[in-house]
Amino acid sequence: MPVYAAAYAAILGIVIALLSLNVSRVRAGVDIWFDDGGNERLARARRAHFTLIEISPRFLLVLLTYALLGGNATWLLWLGIVFLVGRLLHVYAMFMSPPKNPFRAIAGTLSLGATVVTGVLILIKVWA
Protein backbone atom coordinates (compact mmCIF):
# COMPACT_ATOMS: atom_id res chain seq x y z
CA MET A 1 0.00 0.00 0.00
CA PRO A 2 2.49 2.67 -1.08
CA VAL A 3 -0.54 4.94 -1.45
CA TYR A 4 -0.52 5.47 2.34
CA ALA A 5 3.13 6.53 2.28
CA ALA A 6 2.36 8.85 -0.62
CA ALA A 7 -0.57 10.39 1.25
CA TYR A 8 1.53 11.04 4.35
CA ALA A 9 4.34 12.48 2.21
CA ALA A 10 1.82 14.85 0.62
CA ILE A 11 0.36 15.91 3.97
CA LEU A 12 3.79 16.46 5.52
CA GLY A 13 4.92 18.36 2.41
CA ILE A 14 1.95 20.70 2.73
CA VAL A 15 2.59 21.27 6.44
CA ILE A 16 6.29 21.96 5.73
CA ALA A 17 5.31 24.50 3.05
CA LEU A 18 2.87 26.20 5.42
CA LEU A 19 5.50 26.39 8.15
CA SER A 20 7.94 27.86 5.63
CA LEU A 21 5.39 30.54 4.77
CA ASN A 22 4.96 31.20 8.48
CA VAL A 23 8.71 31.71 8.90
CA SER A 24 8.66 34.21 6.02
CA ARG A 25 5.66 36.00 7.55
CA VAL A 26 7.34 36.25 10.95
CA ARG A 27 10.61 37.41 9.33
CA ALA A 28 8.77 40.20 7.56
CA GLY A 29 6.98 41.16 10.77
CA VAL A 30 10.15 41.41 12.85
CA ASP A 31 12.38 42.62 9.99
CA ILE A 32 15.07 39.96 10.52
CA TRP A 33 16.33 38.46 7.29
CA PHE A 34 19.12 36.15 8.46
CA ASP A 35 19.06 33.54 11.22
CA ASP A 36 16.73 34.53 14.07
CA GLY A 37 18.49 37.66 15.33
CA GLY A 38 17.80 36.56 18.91
CA ASN A 39 14.06 36.97 18.36
CA GLU A 40 12.21 34.21 20.22
CA ARG A 41 9.14 34.32 18.00
CA LEU A 42 11.25 33.82 14.89
CA ALA A 43 13.38 31.16 16.60
CA ARG A 44 10.25 29.18 17.47
CA ALA A 45 8.85 29.47 13.95
CA ARG A 46 12.15 28.29 12.49
CA ARG A 47 12.48 25.41 14.96
CA ALA A 48 8.96 24.16 14.23
CA HIS A 49 9.77 24.21 10.51
CA PHE A 50 13.27 22.73 10.75
CA THR A 51 12.31 19.91 13.09
CA LEU A 52 9.61 18.75 10.72
CA ILE A 53 12.14 18.83 7.87
CA GLU A 54 14.69 16.88 9.95
CA ILE A 55 12.38 14.13 11.18
CA SER A 56 9.93 13.54 8.32
CA PRO A 57 12.25 12.09 5.65
CA ARG A 58 13.48 9.33 7.97
CA PHE A 59 9.93 8.28 8.81
CA LEU A 60 8.72 8.48 5.23
CA LEU A 61 11.63 6.32 4.10
CA VAL A 62 10.84 3.52 6.54
CA LEU A 63 7.09 3.83 5.93
CA LEU A 64 7.55 3.58 2.17
CA THR A 65 9.98 0.67 2.59
CA TYR A 66 7.46 -1.16 4.76
CA ALA A 67 4.72 -0.46 2.22
CA LEU A 68 6.84 -1.71 -0.69
CA LEU A 69 7.56 -4.90 1.23
CA GLY A 70 3.82 -5.53 1.37
CA GLY A 71 3.28 -4.22 4.88
CA ASN A 72 -0.07 -4.47 6.58
CA ALA A 73 -2.38 -1.63 5.50
CA THR A 74 -3.74 -1.11 9.02
CA TRP A 75 -0.23 -0.72 10.43
CA LEU A 76 0.66 1.70 7.63
CA LEU A 77 -2.41 3.79 8.28
CA TRP A 78 -2.00 3.97 12.06
CA LEU A 79 1.76 4.48 12.10
CA GLY A 80 1.29 7.42 9.74
CA ILE A 81 -1.43 8.86 11.95
CA VAL A 82 0.70 8.51 15.09
CA PHE A 83 3.66 10.16 13.37
CA LEU A 84 1.56 12.98 11.96
CA VAL A 85 -0.12 13.65 15.33
CA GLY A 86 3.33 13.73 16.94
CA ARG A 87 4.68 16.22 14.44
CA LEU A 88 1.62 18.47 14.62
CA LEU A 89 1.78 18.34 18.40
CA HIS A 90 5.41 19.45 18.18
CA VAL A 91 4.45 22.39 15.97
CA TYR A 92 1.80 23.37 18.52
CA ALA A 93 4.30 22.99 21.37
CA MET A 94 6.85 25.24 19.64
CA PHE A 95 4.39 28.12 19.68
CA MET A 96 3.43 27.66 23.34
CA SER A 97 4.92 29.39 26.34
CA PRO A 98 7.00 28.31 28.12
CA PRO A 99 9.27 26.56 25.63
CA LYS A 100 9.71 23.65 28.06
CA ASN A 101 6.35 21.88 28.03
CA PRO A 102 5.13 18.29 28.09
CA PHE A 103 3.78 18.45 24.54
CA ARG A 104 7.28 18.48 23.10
CA ALA A 105 8.19 15.25 24.90
CA ILE A 106 4.93 13.59 23.86
CA ALA A 107 5.47 14.74 20.27
CA GLY A 108 8.98 13.31 20.16
CA THR A 109 7.87 10.04 21.70
CA LEU A 110 5.03 9.59 19.20
CA SER A 111 7.15 10.50 16.17
CA LEU A 112 10.22 8.50 17.06
CA GLY A 113 8.09 5.63 18.34
CA ALA A 114 6.28 5.39 15.01
CA THR A 115 9.63 5.39 13.20
CA VAL A 116 11.10 2.66 15.42
CA VAL A 117 7.99 0.47 15.23
CA THR A 118 7.99 0.78 11.44
CA GLY A 119 11.66 -0.21 11.37
CA VAL A 120 10.97 -3.24 13.55
CA LEU A 121 8.10 -4.25 11.27
CA ILE A 122 10.48 -4.08 8.30
CA LEU A 123 13.00 -6.32 10.07
CA ILE A 124 10.27 -8.81 10.94
CA LYS A 125 9.19 -8.95 7.27
CA VAL A 126 12.76 -9.27 6.03
CA TRP A 127 13.83 -11.94 8.51
CA ALA A 128 10.56 -13.89 8.73
Side-chain angles (χ1 to χ4, degrees), residues 39-58:
N39 182 285
E40 184 177 347
R41 189 168 149 231
L42 182 53
R44 286 176 184 239
R46 293 177 74 225
R47 190 71 263 158
H49 180 232
F50 292 158
T51 301
L52 190 58
I53 290 171
E54 291 167 354
I55 305 259
S56 295
R58 177 177 45 234

Side-chain angles (χ1 to χ4, degrees), residues 7-17 52 56-57 59-60 83-84 87:
Y8 289 118
I11 292 166
L12 289 166
I14 290 167
V15 174
I16 288 168
L52 190 58
S56 295
F59 175 72
L60 291 171
F83 182 84
L84 188 59
R87 289 300 82 210

Side-chain angles (χ1 to χ4, degrees), residues 47-48 51 85-95 103-104 107:
R47 190 71 263 158
T51 301
V85 167
R87 289 300 82 210
L88 293 176
L89 191 57
H90 180 264
V91 169
Y92 172 75
M94 288 310 302
F95 294 108
F103 295 111
R104 289 180 73 185

Side-chain angles (χ1 to χ4, degrees), residues 10-75:
I11 292 166
L12 289 166
I14 290 167
V15 174
I16 288 168
L18 292 172
L19 289 172
S20 178
L21 288 171
N22 184 58
V23 170
S24 296
R25 183 187 62 79
V26 173
R27 278 193 186 288
V30 297
D31 199 31
I32 298 172
W33 301 102
F34 181 77
D35 205 18
D36 63 26
N39 182 285
E40 184 177 347
R41 189 168 149 231
L42 182 53
R44 286 176 184 239
R46 293 177 74 225
R47 190 71 263 158
H49 180 232
F50 292 158
T51 301
L52 190 58
I53 290 171
E54 291 167 354
I55 305 259
S56 295
R58 177 177 45 234
F59 175 72
L60 291 171
L61 177 63
V62 293
L63 190 70
L64 179 59
T65 301
Y66 181 60
L68 291 173
L69 288 172
N72 180 284
T74 302
W75 276 104

